[in-house]
Amino acid sequence: MLNEPLKTQLKAYLEKIVEPVELIASLDESQAAQEMRSLLETIESLTDNVSVRLDGQYARRPSFQIRRKNAQTGLHFAAVPLGHEFTSLVLALLWSGGHPPKVDAQSLETIPTLEGPLRFEVFMSLSCHNCPDVVQALSLLAIRNPHIETVVIDGALYQDEVTARQIMAVPMVFLNGELFGSGRMTLEEVLAKLDSSSADKERAKMNTRAPYDVLIVGGGPAGAAAAVYAARKGLRTGIAAERFGGQTNDTLGIENYISVLETNGPKFAADLEAQIRHYDVDLMNLQRAEKLIPAAERGGLIKVELAHGGVLRSRSVILSTGARWRNVNVPGEAEYRNRGVAYCPHCDGPLFKGKRVAVIGGGNSGVEAAIDLAGVVGHVTVIEFMDQLKADAVLVNKLKSLKNVSIVVNAATTEIIGDGKTVTALRYRDRISGASHSVALEGVFVQIGLVPNTEWLKDTIELSRHGEIVVDAHGATNVPGVFAAGDVTTVPYKQIVIAAGDGAKAALGAFDYLIRNSAPVDTAEAA
């Protein structure tokens, strides 16, 4: 099951275990159970610090428990954790065996204080690149707090349960039987939802921070590049990001970033974070900006008010809040989100195995999604508003070669239909004839482009008619000391490499602004 190079790598990691670990398997006669047993016994063969028992009595079969020997930690994998989850398995083994996690001290201090009992069930798929963050966060909770149990469930392995619980997107997390959250979540996000005092703590921390020379709002490629360039100029630099990494967290393959032959979104985001931390940038993650307050006078302090009420102050600000998937905005979309309406084909595609789905959008992202889904689902219908697909010719040709794909052009989606529980059909209007048509299906993937995250800036910054921040050749906005970069701006071609270059340019523009407007900070204003 594991090739020799992977075994060698795994063996090296397992040497970091300092306390014995038990793997307690609850098996049945299925093929998955045989694969699970083979995996566990392979792990056992690579180290003296891991032992396998086959006498587990856990209800879900096949599954296995990971625990420090003779301890009562409640971490179970109802899965054969390979693919994207192999790293989650390795980390769970190391953490259970006493190897310290690379997590900030505040989070580690918070975990043992959480009151239980808390029983998490996280449904994932092995092809989901957003799932490992959630799996690893909840695994660590179960390992570090005896009042917490976490069960990691492969939706493809437990299809009956997925159907019964109407799970149409992953990752999806239940806490004590009730929906806790869906989509990618970091450990900090999970703890923020569980710790009722977290908002007060964050507000107090933000309000006590000294003013920055450059404050960057948004942590995607543009924000990260701006931070590196600003910090290298010797400027006191901070990043306030709602989700560090931005859209790259939701990107599977990246093959067009110059000098990087191939990588994936989550790894790219992790590399961005590693680089900004190398330059001692003050990273404030999970911080949503709600208001920009321009300086009272040129060269004075600009303020950014955060959702929890905290305020950050800076001599200059770079806005790099990026963009998000555009909604179709038709009846049924919001009602059936995560119940048949999805936005990530890589994450949620396996949950629609053998079923009928539609992809709304005929650009590159839509056609790529349809090609990807065609290898998993029963049938894909591509719905395109214009009279032809807008994707690159090579993608269109590939799509047309697939036998289980239908293409409908000149089609305006008018409604997503469901039975109150899940999606059952999509209705569209033929833009030529005006006739209305319905397509029976079980899933709809929306891939119609992006909308800039600028709602909070209306009446403060000049925006284009599309809601993008208007910038000049130096990345400057119409507000003195405020710059912008990346997908949130009017700069054309929304690409990672362009956003990164744009961030660097905005940082240089901010530096030039600061040396030309070097008024000392007013201590009264800074208070």
Side-chain angles (χ1 to χ4, degrees):
M1 180 170 288
L2 301 181
N3 59 35
E4 290 305 317
L6 193 55
K7 287 181 183 179
T8 301
Q9 186 179 16
L10 178 57
K11 181 178 176 64
Y13 280 118
L14 295 177
E15 289 176 356
K16 299 178 181 181
I17 294 177
V18 295
E19 297 184 39
V21 174
E22 289 183 318
L23 304 178
I24 306 171
S26 302
L27 304 177
D28 54 19
E29 301 302 319
S30 66
Q31 177 64 32
Q34 296 178 38
E35 294 173 359
M36 184 177 293
R37 179 172 179 173
S38 175
L39 175 62
L40 300 185
E41 291 178 342
T42 297
I43 294 171
E44 183 183 38
S45 71
L46 297 176
T47 175
D48 294 333
N49 285 323
V50 175
S51 59
V52 174
R53 288 171 41 187
L54 303 177
D55 58 349
Q57 300 300 313
Y58 196 63
R60 282 193 182 88
R61 295 173 181 267
S63 65
F64 65 96
Q65 181 182 9
I66 301 178
R67 72 178 191 185
R68 191 171 304 167
K69 195 167 185 178
N70 300 321
Q72 292 301 318
T73 51
L75 174 59
H76 300 262
F77 277 85
V80 182
L82 298 174
H84 286 297
E85 293 301 341
F86 185 67
T87 300
S88 301
L89 170 62
V90 174
L91 290 174
L93 290 167
L94 296 181
W95 295 338
S96 297
H99 186 71
K102 294 181 179 179
V103 175
D104 66 276
Q106 182 177 332
S107 294
L108 286 179
E109 292 171 2
T110 300
I111 292 172
T113 67
L114 298 174
E115 297 182 1
L118 302 176
R119 185 173 188 274
F120 289 99
E121 297 168 290
V122 51
F123 285 83
M124 56 80 179
S125 73
L126 299 180
S127 63
C128 169
H129 60 285
N130 285 326
C131 293
D133 281 344
V134 183
V135 170
Q136 291 162 26
L138 297 178
S139 296
L140 185 59
L141 262 60
I143 291 168
R144 307 279 294 200
N145 187 323
H147 305 295
I148 298 176
E149 179 184 5
T150 294
V151 187
V152 181
I153 305 164
D154 180 3
L157 190 58
Y158 286 86
Q159 279 281 349
D160 291 344
E161 190 168 353
V162 164
T163 301
R165 299 177 76 162
Q166 299 171 12
I167 296 167
M168 306 297 288
V170 291
M172 186 165 287
V173 181
F174 294 85
L175 172 58
N176 296 336
E178 300 294 327
L179 182 63
F180 177 77
S182 61
R184 184 178 181 270
M185 287 185 287
T186 63
L187 175 62
E188 292 82 3
E189 289 172 296
V190 172
L191 292 176
K193 295 186 71 170
L194 294 172
D195 183 4
S196 59
S197 64
S198 61
D200 293 337
K201 295 176 184 176
E202 285 298 303
R203 181 168 57 252
K205 284 170 55 180
M206 297 301 112
N207 287 339
T208 58
R209 275 177 160 81
Y212 296 95
D213 294 316
V214 179
L215 173 64
I216 298 150
V217 183
V228 169
Y229 268 72
R232 284 173 59 88
K233 291 292 186 182
L235 301 173
R236 173 169 158 76
T237 305
I239 293 183
E242 186 170 358
R243 184 178 66 147
F244 187 83
Q247 294 175 56
T248 62
N249 289 299
D250 305 320
T251 304
L252 187 59
I254 298 174
E255 300 176 352
N256 57 358
Y257 194 84
I258 306 306
S259 84
V260 179
L261 185 61
E262 181 180 2
T263 186
N264 61 68
K267 183 180 185 304
F268 187 85
D271 290 342
L272 291 179
E273 181 174 348
Q275 187 168 19
I276 68 161
R277 290 194 183 278
H278 174 74
Y279 287 103
D280 199 28
V281 173
D282 188 6
L283 173 58
M284 298 160 282
N285 201 15
L286 308 182
Q287 305 296 329
R288 181 164 59 87
E290 286 200 340
K291 188 176 182 180
L292 177 72
I293 305 171
E297 59 184 4
R298 192 176 186 90
L301 288 178
I302 303 160
K303 298 179 182 179
V304 174
E305 186 173 310
L306 304 172
H308 49 56
V311 177
L312 297 171
R313 297 148 295 155
S314 183
R315 295 170 60 206
S316 66
V317 169
I318 298 174
L319 304 171
S320 59
T321 48
R324 63 189 183 276
W325 287 114
R326 186 181 299 276
N327 292 324
V328 190
N329 292 321
V330 297
E333 180 181 20
E335 292 85 341
Y336 292 101
R337 188 185 303 269
N338 294 330
R339 294 193 293 159
V341 175
Y343 299 83
C344 179
H346 307 296
C347 302
D348 301 330
L351 299 177
F352 293 85
K353 184 177 181 179
K355 297 181 179 180
R356 301 162 297 179
V357 304
V359 173
I360 302 176
N364 281 349
S365 60
V367 171
E368 286 173 351
I371 293 170
D372 184 36
L373 290 165
V376 178
V377 305
H379 189 271
V380 182
T381 302
V382 177
I383 306 292
E384 167 55 37
F385 183 82
M386 302 302 289
D387 60 357
Q388 61 182 353
L389 300 180
K390 304 185 294 295
D392 296 341
V394 64
L395 295 174
V396 173
N397 291 337
K398 173 64 177 177
L399 182 72
K400 290 181 177 180
S401 72
L402 302 175
K403 296 181 179 180
N404 62 334
V405 172
S406 300
I407 300 171
V408 182
V409 296
N410 282 314
T413 302
T414 56
E415 184 179 5
I416 296 172
I417 303 168
D419 59 6
K421 297 179 179 179
T422 61
V423 168
T424 59
L426 177 145
R427 182 172 289 127
Y428 69 89
R429 175 178 54 82
D430 187 309
R431 297 177 57 238
I432 303 300
S433 68
S436 180
H437 302 273
S438 291
V439 180
L441 42 70
E442 289 76 41
V444 176
F445 288 81
V446 180
Q447 302 279 292
I448 56 172
L450 302 168
V451 58
N453 296 316
T454 55
E455 291 84 356
W456 65 290
L457 294 169
K458 289 179 179 178
D459 303 321
T460 305
I461 294 285
E462 182 184 359
L463 303 177
S464 73
R465 63 188 180 90
H466 299 295
E468 299 167 321
I469 300 173
V470 177
V471 293
D472 67 13
H474 301 276
T477 72
N478 66 313
V479 176
V482 178
F483 297 78
D487 288 4
V488 74
T489 73
T490 50
V491 172
Y493 310 121
K494 312 304 185 184
Q495 298 289 309
I496 293 174
V497 69
I498 293 174
D502 219 28
K505 179 177 67 176
L508 295 174
F511 176 70
D512 184 70
Y513 167 84
L514 290 173
I515 62 177
R516 295 172 187 276
N517 296 273
S518 55
V521 172
D522 186 328
T523 54
E525 184 184 357

